[in-house]
Amino acid sequence: MSNMRPVQIRLHSRYEGEDVLQEMQGEAVLKGSVLYVRYEEPQAGPEGGITRTTLKLGGQSIKIIRHGEVESEQTFELNRKLPGFYRSPYMSFALSTHTQELELSIQGLSARAAWSYDFYRFDEESGHFAISLHIQEEPIS
């Protein structure tokens, strides 16, 4: 994607009482009303490899696509159960997400999102997640 600009990303997830906060540098581009954000995940994959993540934010939908050592795809739309997948060197499974809450606000290359969902692995519920995401365009120096 051309015209990518630097952004700061703050991702906070809660699952079963465990809080994880990740802060990363990435790049973003706005195409029409859809914001695309790319970054490398801060933790190495299971065998020390890199995983690149693309976020697609637009309308009332959030899609997370991961490529590299870990590959997965998850889509979030309010009140919908949507299919996805997960693959790593050690396991592979079909997943789905049922989103109960979703708020999304995009202003240029900055965005705020919050959503909560039930996670299903092989059609069995595996837990409830709550995510908040803040993307901030870095000023031009």
Side-chain angles (χ1 to χ4, degrees):
M1 285 181 231
S2 60
N3 301 323
M4 300 291 282
R5 302 260 312 126
V7 292
Q8 286 285 96
I9 303 158
R10 183 176 185 177
L11 182 66
H12 179 230
S13 62
R14 282 187 310 281
Y15 170 71
E16 307 286 318
E18 181 181 332
D19 283 315
V20 175
L21 177 64
Q22 294 178 305
E23 294 184 345
M24 302 150 289
Q25 301 253 26
E27 52 187 9
V29 66
L30 189 63
K31 292 191 173 189
S33 62
V34 178
L35 179 63
Y36 293 88
V37 180
R38 289 193 308 206
Y39 62 90
E40 284 187 6
E41 294 193 5
Q43 286 83 23
E47 295 189 340
I50 294 171
T51 299
R52 290 175 190 83
T53 299
T54 302
L55 305 173
K56 180 181 176 186
L57 310 148
Q60 284 302 306
S61 176
I62 298 170
K63 186 172 202 164
I64 302 173
I65 304 162
R66 298 164 80 200
H67 290 287
E69 188 168 345
V70 172
E71 298 199 356
S72 70
E73 192 171 291
Q74 292 176 279
T75 305
F76 307 94
E77 292 180 11
L78 187 60
N79 298 321
R80 295 195 58 199
K81 185 176 180 182
L82 298 169
F85 66 87
Y86 177 92
R87 284 191 289 272
S88 79
Y90 303 110
M91 70 176 80
S92 178
F93 57 86
L95 63 86
S96 57
T97 57
H98 182 233
T99 308
Q100 286 88 24
E101 298 176 60
L102 188 142
E103 296 176 18
L104 176 59
S105 170
I106 300 170
Q107 294 180 329
L109 297 182
S110 297
R112 288 187 180 273
W115 67 100
S116 65
Y117 64 97
D118 290 326
F119 180 83
Y120 293 82
R121 184 176 150 184
F122 298 120
D123 277 334
E124 289 187 23
E125 189 173 344
S126 295
H128 183 79
F129 288 80
I131 310 289
S132 65
L133 172 67
H134 181 220
I135 299 162
Q136 181 66 48
E137 180 177 10
E138 290 189 359
I140 298 172
S141 29

